[in-house]
Amino acid sequence: MESRTEPAEAEPDPAAAIRRPSPPNTATRPPLIRELLLVVGLFVIYKVGRQLADGHTAEAFRNANHVWDWERTLHLPSEGSVQDALLHGDTLVHLANTYYATVHFPATVAFLVWMYLRRPVHYVWARRILAAVTTAALALHLTFPLAPPRLLAAAGLVDTGQVYGPTVYGAHPATDRMANQFAAMPSLHFGWALMVAIGLIAATRSRGRWLWLLHPLLTLLVIVGTANHYWLDAIVATALLGLALAVIRLPHGAWAPWRAAADEVSGEADGEAGNSSGAGGAGEKESLPELVGAGR
């Protein structure tokens, strides 16, 4: 009599479905039209508010002298040291001016669009953070008008935008109707750039995601080197962003992709260990019938 052993059918692993990365969650994506109206509305309110904060020339320069003195008291590095590095060549300073003029809004819009399409939960969180920081910034612009260091004689800095170009500001700040040049604090260039980096780090799981911090770092060097902002402008923007992040928390479920990735890695390790042990067990089972047949 021959002894035959039939291989047992592999049972489905219920944990495999859990370890499998899930597609982007579209159930929580807010309506597109509503979001467009909301974002455009917030932008219009901000632009109108900045114009309302205009016209306080004397107060803006008085506050600028105070800020300059505060930075010296705090022993912060001089903005001139960064500008000196830019002024070594016309090409470098021109690139810095171009970065200041063209990257700020497009980068933030691209960030929001990507988050809306790929990470809806993160998008709602990031949009709320940006709205809160921008609202707080507008309140500061209304209550604390501030002339940038490029307009402050005591700073002795070059207005790189006017000298080398390109620039988004008029030559005469008091009559500039396109932009309020006395709204230096806080720096939304830096605040938004930092939020873009934090949002992308929170929403992605690649090992290189921390490189997104290069965006706010480069923005900081640009806004200071072009003399559009003081160091304190970036510090205040960071404080406002930190407060907003502390109040508006990212939902716990939004961290699921990271957990799924971790589970997938651990699951693969468990699977390899199971396969090796299963192979050893199969070998033992296969040898058993041979011994039985030999005995008979």
Side-chain angles (χ1 to χ4, degrees):
M1 180 182 292
E2 294 183 358
S3 173
R4 296 182 180 179
T5 58
E6 297 292 336
E9 294 184 359
E11 297 182 359
D13 184 7
I18 301 176
R19 292 194 295 267
R20 245 181 240 116
S22 57
N25 181 12
T26 59
T28 56
R29 181 177 294 127
L32 178 61
I33 300 299
R34 189 193 73 180
E35 289 304 306
L36 287 175
L37 292 175
L38 180 60
V39 172
V40 171
L42 289 172
F43 176 74
V44 171
I45 292 173
Y46 171 71
K47 294 297 289 185
V48 172
R50 278 178 64 102
Q51 293 300 322
L52 292 176
D54 201 1
H56 304 279
T57 304
E59 185 180 1
F61 279 99
R62 184 166 59 251
N63 289 335
N65 282 291
H66 292 329
V67 169
W68 186 257
D69 292 339
W70 293 340
E71 288 191 341
R72 307 291 78 77
T73 302
L74 294 172
H75 301 289
L76 294 179
S78 172
E79 288 81 354
S81 59
V82 181
Q83 186 172 90
D84 289 342
L86 290 181
L87 294 179
H88 279 305
D90 293 356
T91 301
L92 188 59
V93 70
H94 182 80
L95 288 174
N97 288 333
T98 303
Y99 189 95
Y100 180 86
T102 62
V103 174
H104 177 47
F105 281 107
T108 307
V109 170
F111 163 72
L112 289 174
V113 170
W114 186 87
M115 294 285 264
Y116 179 84
L117 295 175
R118 301 299 302 274
R119 300 290 189 272
V121 175
H122 290 80
Y123 163 78
V124 174
W125 167 70
R127 188 248 294 151
R128 290 173 178 171
I129 294 289
L130 288 173
V133 171
T134 304
T135 302
L138 179 58
L140 268 177
H141 295 161
L142 290 169
T143 57
F144 192 78
L146 179 65
R150 58 185 168 80
L151 300 178
L152 184 63
L157 299 174
V158 177
D159 188 342
T160 61
Q162 295 296 332
V163 176
Y164 298 93
T167 181
V168 295
Y169 301 117
H172 304 287
T175 59
D176 188 358
R177 297 305 174 191
M178 297 299 295
N180 177 15
Q181 299 193 40
F182 300 137
M185 182 180 288
S187 169
L188 284 180
H189 270 75
F190 181 73
W192 287 9
L194 185 57
M195 182 55 207
V196 167
I198 292 174
L200 289 172
I201 290 171
T204 57
R205 59 175 183 260
S206 66
R207 293 181 178 179
R209 64 184 180 273
W210 298 101
L211 293 176
W212 287 114
L213 290 173
L214 293 175
H215 175 45
L217 176 60
L218 182 58
T219 300
L220 177 61
L221 295 177
V222 165
I223 64 175
V224 172
T226 57
N228 281 293
H229 286 283
Y230 305 89
W231 294 112
L232 280 177
D233 296 339
I235 293 174
V236 171
T238 303
L240 292 178
L241 178 59
L243 182 61
L245 289 169
V247 174
I248 306 172
R249 299 295 185 90
L250 181 65
H252 292 294
W255 299 96
W258 283 11
R259 290 201 302 269
D263 291 343
E264 187 176 0
V265 172
S266 62
E268 290 176 355
D270 294 341
E272 292 176 359
N275 290 337
S276 61
S277 61
E284 293 175 358
K285 290 180 180 178
E286 290 177 357
S287 62
L288 183 59
E290 294 178 359
L291 292 175
V292 172
R296 290 183 180 182

